[in-house]
Amino acid sequence: SYIPRTVLFTPSEMLAVKISPNGKTLAFVKGEPNGVMNIHISDTSKAKDTNARKQITHFDSPDIYRFFWVGNENIIFLRDVQG
């Protein structure tokens, strides 16, 4: 039997997971159903609680390629703006 396309091509729940330097906050890229990627954060003690996650970027296109912690409270990121 074949693997359904939706299983193969559905965006991952969490990508590029990174922990803040002090270890208190988790940041990750989340794939939206439409394929757009946005950065979310969560307290490390509540990482599995989907209600405790906070979306910090709100792009509708294009994807975020990389992000980095700058200290414990700031994140910088790279994204494609013209393909």
Side-chain angles (χ1 to χ4, degrees):
S1 124
Y2 294 104
I3 299 171
R5 288 183 185 190
T6 55
V7 172
L8 294 174
F9 298 107
T10 299
S12 297
E13 178 69 20
M14 297 173 77
L15 299 168
V17 178
K18 296 183 181 181
I19 299 173
S20 64
N22 66 6
K24 294 182 179 182
T25 309
L26 186 72
F28 58 93
V29 175
K30 180 178 184 251
E32 305 297 333
N34 63 0
V36 174
M37 305 290 185
N38 277 293
I39 299 174
H40 294 247
I41 60 171
S42 176
D43 185 293
T44 52
S45 65
K46 299 177 183 178
K48 291 187 178 183
D49 181 1
T50 57
N51 294 321
R53 297 174 184 172
K54 178 181 177 185
Q55 184 174 342
I56 62 169
T57 60
H58 299 274
F59 299 116
D60 52 14
S61 69
D63 295 346
I64 293 172
Y65 287 109
R66 293 183 185 188
F67 71 93
F68 308 92
W69 281 101
V70 180
N72 292 309
E73 297 187 15
N74 296 300
I75 293 174
I76 59 171
F77 59 90
L78 305 170
R79 72 181 189 119
D80 184 9
V81 292
Q82 293 186 346

